[in-house]
Amino acid sequence: MECDATELLAIAVSVARPAAELAREMRVSGVGDVTTKSTETDVVTAADQAVERQVRDALAAARPFDQVLGEEFGDAPRPGGRHGLRGDGASQGADGRSAVRWILDPIDGTVNYLYGLRPYAVSLAAEIDGEVVAGVVIDAATGEEWTATKGGGAFAAGRRLSGSGQQRLSQALVGTGFAYTSARRAHQAQVLAGLLMHIRDIRRFGSAAVDLCYVADGRLDAFYEKGLNAWDHAAGGLVAREAGVLVSGSGGAPAGPDLVVAAPPGLHEQLLGYLERLDAAGGP
Ligand code: IPD
Ligand code: CA
């Protein structure tokens, strides 16, 4: 079994489309059981879990020996699977493990989903040896789809994406998001208060994966958030990068839990400068 970015993207798209359809259908028939995770505002619905199960089953059928990291069920080996070991050689590392890992957010924008708002999205990325090489984000509410392969560009509805090209921070429409813990939110509010007078305006759409795709297609000029997990930004981050957008963390670090900043090359340094002075990557 070859592990080539284009092929992995084709699998990702073929798995993510029915997953988005399942999420949408479950929304139409009403959000059922709702429980909470890290805090009482961090919700998980029956659909989050059903979509993740469906994607895991589809990936296991297509590529049984790959690893999967998903928001709802973590990175545990598939029950009855072969613990990530594969026998065909093409994608194996020296230790015999598959070099491919899938990173899944079954519903990014769960609070929107709960309230019947958009966007909410299935986000699925494929890594080879720890590097994201393919990704798809589908806004299940609208059917909009963004895809990218490493070095192959980012696309939506057959259009190649190239970001907004905005160069003036004072004219920039900037997306962001907030954590589920009140201590981190207090810090995020201070950072936002310090930034707001220097930009055109702020948007909080409720799905980091879609925010990053909006930066890729120019609907937002830039995006930043502290506290994101890999499943929130793996696919959307690749879409943004492949659209020519710079995606980084703070102080030369790669994008990660401390900070994700995505902005076109003419804007990135200005935005990151403000965020670093405001200690956006700091706090709880
Ligand atoms: C959340 C969304 C939101 C972001 C939060 C994420 P979830 O993911 O991406 O926009 O601000 O930090 O946790 O909980 O809807 O999967
Ligand atoms: Ca998420």
Side-chain angles (χ1 to χ4, degrees), residues 74-95:
D75 59 1
R78 195 166 55 88
R82 289 170 56 187
H83 309 286
L85 296 175
R86 55 179 295 161
D88 58 47
S91 308
Q92 281 179 278
D95 61 356

mmCIF file of all heavy atoms in Angstrom, residues 74-95:
data_model
loop_
_atom_site.group_PDB
_atom_site.id
_atom_site.type_symbol
_atom_site.label_atom_id
_atom_site.label_comp_id
_atom_site.label_asym_id
_atom_site.label_seq_id
_atom_site.Cartn_x
_atom_site.Cartn_y
_atom_site.Cartn_z
ATOM 1 N N GLY A 74 -9.227 9.586 21.478
ATOM 2 C CA GLY A 74 -7.777 9.631 21.670
ATOM 3 C C GLY A 74 -7.000 8.841 20.643
ATOM 4 O O GLY A 74 -7.387 8.751 19.480
ATOM 5 N N ASP A 75 -5.905 8.215 21.114
ATOM 6 C CA ASP A 75 -5.028 7.515 20.172
ATOM 7 C C ASP A 75 -4.900 6.028 20.488
ATOM 8 O O ASP A 75 -3.935 5.368 20.099
ATOM 9 C CB ASP A 75 -3.639 8.162 20.128
ATOM 10 C CG ASP A 75 -2.971 8.144 21.495
ATOM 11 O OD1 ASP A 75 -3.579 7.607 22.456
ATOM 12 O OD2 ASP A 75 -1.853 8.665 21.601
ATOM 13 N N ALA A 76 -5.902 5.510 21.218
ATOM 14 C CA ALA A 76 -5.851 4.085 21.573
ATOM 15 C C ALA A 76 -5.900 3.247 20.302
ATOM 16 O O ALA A 76 -6.618 3.590 19.359
ATOM 17 C CB ALA A 76 -7.044 3.735 22.448
ATOM 18 N N PRO A 77 -5.151 2.145 20.260
ATOM 19 C CA PRO A 77 -5.233 1.271 19.098
ATOM 20 C C PRO A 77 -6.651 0.752 18.940
ATOM 21 O O PRO A 77 -7.379 0.588 19.916
ATOM 22 C CB PRO A 77 -4.281 0.117 19.430
ATOM 23 C CG PRO A 77 -3.472 0.569 20.579
ATOM 24 C CD PRO A 77 -4.263 1.625 21.293
ATOM 25 N N ARG A 78 -7.049 0.530 17.712
ATOM 26 C CA ARG A 78 -8.401 0.044 17.439
ATOM 27 C C ARG A 78 -8.599 -1.315 18.118
ATOM 28 O O ARG A 78 -7.756 -2.200 17.981
ATOM 29 C CB ARG A 78 -8.551 -0.119 15.929
ATOM 30 C CG ARG A 78 -9.970 -0.259 15.443
ATOM 31 C CD ARG A 78 -9.996 -0.065 13.948
ATOM 32 N NE ARG A 78 -9.089 -0.974 13.263
ATOM 33 C CZ ARG A 78 -9.408 -2.185 12.859
ATOM 34 N NH1 ARG A 78 -10.610 -2.654 13.076
ATOM 35 N NH2 ARG A 78 -8.539 -2.934 12.227
ATOM 36 N N PRO A 79 -9.720 -1.490 18.855
ATOM 37 C CA PRO A 79 -9.955 -2.791 19.480
ATOM 38 C C PRO A 79 -9.916 -3.889 18.421
ATOM 39 O O PRO A 79 -10.522 -3.749 17.368
ATOM 40 C CB PRO A 79 -11.367 -2.661 20.070
ATOM 41 C CG PRO A 79 -11.631 -1.197 20.151
ATOM 42 C CD PRO A 79 -10.812 -0.551 19.078
ATOM 43 N N GLY A 80 -9.153 -4.953 18.672
ATOM 44 C CA GLY A 80 -9.074 -6.043 17.702
ATOM 45 C C GLY A 80 -8.104 -5.766 16.572
ATOM 46 O O GLY A 80 -7.871 -6.609 15.723
ATOM 47 N N GLY A 81 -7.535 -4.530 16.523
ATOM 48 C CA GLY A 81 -6.588 -4.190 15.457
ATOM 49 C C GLY A 81 -5.215 -4.718 15.792
ATOM 50 O O GLY A 81 -5.023 -5.411 16.801
ATOM 51 N N ARG A 82 -4.236 -4.369 14.940
ATOM 52 C CA ARG A 82 -2.914 -4.923 15.171
ATOM 53 C C ARG A 82 -1.980 -3.869 15.755
ATOM 54 O O ARG A 82 -0.815 -3.790 15.427
ATOM 55 C CB ARG A 82 -2.381 -5.519 13.872
ATOM 56 C CG ARG A 82 -3.163 -6.793 13.538
ATOM 57 C CD ARG A 82 -2.856 -7.300 12.165
ATOM 58 N NE ARG A 82 -1.422 -7.521 11.985
ATOM 59 C CZ ARG A 82 -0.894 -7.842 10.806
ATOM 60 N NH1 ARG A 82 -1.662 -7.968 9.757
ATOM 61 N NH2 ARG A 82 0.412 -8.021 10.695
ATOM 62 N N HIS A 83 -2.547 -3.021 16.607
ATOM 63 C CA HIS A 83 -1.758 -2.062 17.384
ATOM 64 C C HIS A 83 -0.850 -1.215 16.514
ATOM 65 O O HIS A 83 0.277 -0.926 16.882
ATOM 66 C CB HIS A 83 -0.955 -2.780 18.476
ATOM 67 C CG HIS A 83 -1.794 -3.679 19.305
ATOM 68 N ND1 HIS A 83 -2.671 -3.205 20.239
ATOM 69 C CD2 HIS A 83 -1.938 -5.017 19.289
ATOM 70 C CE1 HIS A 83 -3.319 -4.223 20.783
ATOM 71 N NE2 HIS A 83 -2.900 -5.334 20.214
ATOM 72 N N GLY A 84 -1.341 -0.830 15.340
ATOM 73 C CA GLY A 84 -0.569 0.079 14.494
ATOM 74 C C GLY A 84 0.509 -0.610 13.690
ATOM 75 O O GLY A 84 1.210 0.025 12.928
ATOM 76 N N LEU A 85 0.649 -1.917 13.829
ATOM 77 C CA LEU A 85 1.685 -2.605 13.053
ATOM 78 C C LEU A 85 1.140 -2.963 11.683
ATOM 79 O O LEU A 85 -0.032 -3.278 11.525
ATOM 80 C CB LEU A 85 2.120 -3.896 13.756
ATOM 81 C CG LEU A 85 2.775 -3.682 15.098
ATOM 82 C CD1 LEU A 85 3.036 -5.039 15.749
ATOM 83 C CD2 LEU A 85 4.095 -2.940 14.934
ATOM 84 N N ARG A 86 1.965 -2.879 10.673
ATOM 85 C CA ARG A 86 1.512 -3.241 9.349
ATOM 86 C C ARG A 86 2.564 -4.106 8.681
ATOM 87 O O ARG A 86 3.723 -4.086 9.065
ATOM 88 C CB ARG A 86 1.219 -2.012 8.497
ATOM 89 C CG ARG A 86 2.373 -1.058 8.382
ATOM 90 C CD ARG A 86 2.008 0.104 7.514
ATOM 91 N NE ARG A 86 1.772 -0.384 6.171
ATOM 92 C CZ ARG A 86 1.090 0.294 5.263
ATOM 93 N NH1 ARG A 86 0.575 1.443 5.552
ATOM 94 N NH2 ARG A 86 0.929 -0.200 4.069
ATOM 95 N N GLY A 87 2.116 -4.851 7.671
ATOM 96 C CA GLY A 87 3.019 -5.836 7.105
ATOM 97 C C GLY A 87 3.535 -5.555 5.723
ATOM 98 O O GLY A 87 4.314 -6.321 5.193
ATOM 99 N N ASP A 88 3.120 -4.437 5.070
ATOM 100 C CA ASP A 88 3.455 -4.312 3.660
ATOM 101 C C ASP A 88 4.711 -3.518 3.360
ATOM 102 O O ASP A 88 5.160 -3.424 2.243
ATOM 103 C CB ASP A 88 2.301 -3.712 2.868
ATOM 104 C CG ASP A 88 1.912 -2.361 3.412
ATOM 105 O OD1 ASP A 88 2.802 -1.549 3.655
ATOM 106 O OD2 ASP A 88 0.713 -2.141 3.615
ATOM 107 N N GLY A 89 5.303 -2.888 4.308
ATOM 108 C CA GLY A 89 6.607 -2.272 4.073
ATOM 109 C C GLY A 89 6.564 -0.843 3.575
ATOM 110 O O GLY A 89 7.318 -0.019 4.067
ATOM 111 N N ALA A 90 5.691 -0.502 2.615
ATOM 112 C CA ALA A 90 5.792 0.799 1.954
ATOM 113 C C ALA A 90 5.691 1.972 2.907
ATOM 114 O O ALA A 90 6.352 2.976 2.721
ATOM 115 C CB ALA A 90 4.712 0.922 0.887
ATOM 116 N N SER A 91 4.870 1.879 3.950
ATOM 117 C CA SER A 91 4.667 3.005 4.843
ATOM 118 C C SER A 91 5.231 2.744 6.225
ATOM 119 O O SER A 91 4.930 3.446 7.162
ATOM 120 C CB SER A 91 3.174 3.295 4.975
ATOM 121 O OG SER A 91 2.602 3.427 3.726
ATOM 122 N N GLN A 92 6.030 1.716 6.376
ATOM 123 C CA GLN A 92 6.494 1.362 7.711
ATOM 124 C C GLN A 92 7.754 2.120 8.098
ATOM 125 O O GLN A 92 8.639 2.338 7.286
ATOM 126 C CB GLN A 92 6.821 -0.127 7.770
ATOM 127 C CG GLN A 92 5.583 -0.991 7.919
ATOM 128 C CD GLN A 92 5.974 -2.437 7.937
ATOM 129 O OE1 GLN A 92 6.172 -3.042 6.902
ATOM 130 N NE2 GLN A 92 6.116 -2.961 9.130
ATOM 131 N N GLY A 93 7.828 2.505 9.397
ATOM 132 C CA GLY A 93 9.068 3.010 9.937
ATOM 133 C C GLY A 93 9.952 1.834 10.317
ATOM 134 O O GLY A 93 9.545 0.673 10.190
ATOM 135 N N ALA A 94 11.160 2.148 10.844
ATOM 136 C CA ALA A 94 12.108 1.085 11.183
ATOM 137 C C ALA A 94 11.557 0.155 12.266
ATOM 138 O O ALA A 94 11.895 -1.017 12.319
ATOM 139 C CB ALA A 94 13.408 1.720 11.646
ATOM 140 N N ASP A 95 10.678 0.714 13.151
ATOM 141 C CA ASP A 95 10.127 -0.108 14.232
ATOM 142 C C ASP A 95 8.920 -0.929 13.781
ATOM 143 O O ASP A 95 8.285 -1.595 14.588
ATOM 144 C CB ASP A 95 9.730 0.786 15.417
ATOM 145 C CG ASP A 95 8.662 1.803 15.042
ATOM 146 O OD1 ASP A 95 8.291 1.863 13.845
ATOM 147 O OD2 ASP A 95 8.217 2.538 15.934
#
